[in-house]
Amino acid sequence: LLVTMVIAVTGIAASLPIGIVLALGRRSHMPIVRMFSVIFIEFWRGVPLITVLFMSSVMLPLFLPEGVTFDKLLRALIGVALFSSAYMAEVVRGGLQALPKGQRYAGLAMGFTLPQTYRYVLLPNAYRIILPPLTNEVILLTKDSSLVYLLGMGVQQYELTKFGREGISDAGAGLTPLVVAGICYLIITVPLGLLSRHFETKTDRVKKS
């Protein structure tokens, strides 16, 4: 369970700032920055996570200098962070687009530069809008961490699903380990789902008021 939480939390913590930068880059008026952001986002959104994990496990060491190796768990974390950042970028971009254009003009009229307008005006207001879909991305990332077991990490790095799969081979265990793993995922994701509904209801109340 600890490895599962490390993958999910690290993936979220790393992908959110990258996603914000990509979202701002996609809205940029600089063609090179916008093109790079669009290509990055569309590439990672168009590739299945399982392919990303295998590429990070098999292909990444080929691009490293001789004698430099990464732990398989670290490779998985890099792949998950890059994959999730593309989806985070679209969530943030959607929140920014939902804001009235007048907020941007108001920030500039107050003497803020464009970066300051995003920092003090647009992003804080967009944060309220993106909380529900952001929570959904957290839930999806937590469940998708189960694919990491396909990388064949060591015993010290057993992910929750892999632990359940290995437990099936134990004498008399049956499907109990997988059932327990499923219950653990429910314990994690159900409160997050309720939290998402709470944020959504709170956001609707703010809009109506």
Side-chain angles (χ1 to χ4, degrees):
L1 183 58
L2 178 61
V3 175
T4 299
M5 295 305 299
V6 167
I7 295 171
V9 173
T10 305
I12 295 163
S15 63
L16 184 56
I18 298 175
I20 293 175
V21 173
L22 290 171
L24 297 179
R26 190 161 188 171
R27 291 168 56 89
S28 173
H29 295 292
M30 293 183 287
I32 296 178
V33 175
R34 184 171 63 251
M35 183 179 299
F36 172 80
S37 301
V38 170
I39 293 175
F40 185 96
I41 292 171
E42 297 303 327
F43 172 80
W44 290 103
R45 289 180 66 200
V47 179
L49 178 57
I50 185 63
T51 303
V52 174
L53 293 176
F54 275 120
M55 290 288 288
S56 63
S57 177
V58 178
M59 298 297 294
L60 182 60
L62 300 180
F63 296 95
L64 298 176
E66 186 176 355
V68 177
T69 58
F70 284 166
D71 184 79
K72 283 189 175 182
L73 179 59
L74 180 57
R75 299 177 204 170
L77 292 175
I78 295 174
V80 169
L82 293 175
F83 179 84
S84 182
S85 63
Y87 288 89
M88 293 293 186
E90 290 299 282
V91 171
V92 175
R93 186 172 70 93
L96 291 173
Q97 287 183 342
L99 295 175
K101 293 183 179 180
Q103 292 193 9
R104 178 176 179 177
Y105 299 144
L108 295 175
M110 293 175 62
F112 288 155
T113 62
L114 186 58
Q116 289 175 332
T117 301
Y118 273 105
R119 179 180 178 182
Y120 297 112
V121 180
L122 298 180
L123 286 176
N125 289 327
Y127 178 72
R128 299 176 181 178
I129 299 175
I130 68 175
L131 271 178
L134 188 64
T135 309
N136 290 336
E137 289 299 325
V138 172
I139 294 173
L140 291 175
L141 182 59
T142 302
K143 294 189 297 182
D144 287 344
S145 65
S146 60
L147 296 175
V148 175
Y149 88 93
L150 296 173
L151 299 182
M153 296 186 298
V155 177
Q156 293 82 7
Q157 299 174 342
Y158 263 24
E159 182 270 335
L160 186 59
T161 304
K162 184 177 180 181
F163 187 81
R165 292 276 296 181
E166 293 292 331
I168 293 178
S169 61
D170 293 344
L175 295 177
T176 302
L178 277 182
V179 173
V180 173
I183 293 174
C184 290
Y185 280 114
L186 283 175
I187 293 174
I188 297 172
T189 57
V190 169
L192 290 175
L194 296 176
L195 187 62
S196 175
R197 292 291 300 273
H198 171 71
F199 286 147
E200 188 173 355
T201 303
K202 189 174 181 180
T203 302
D204 291 338
R205 290 176 181 174
V206 171
K207 289 181 179 179
K208 291 179 181 179
S209 61

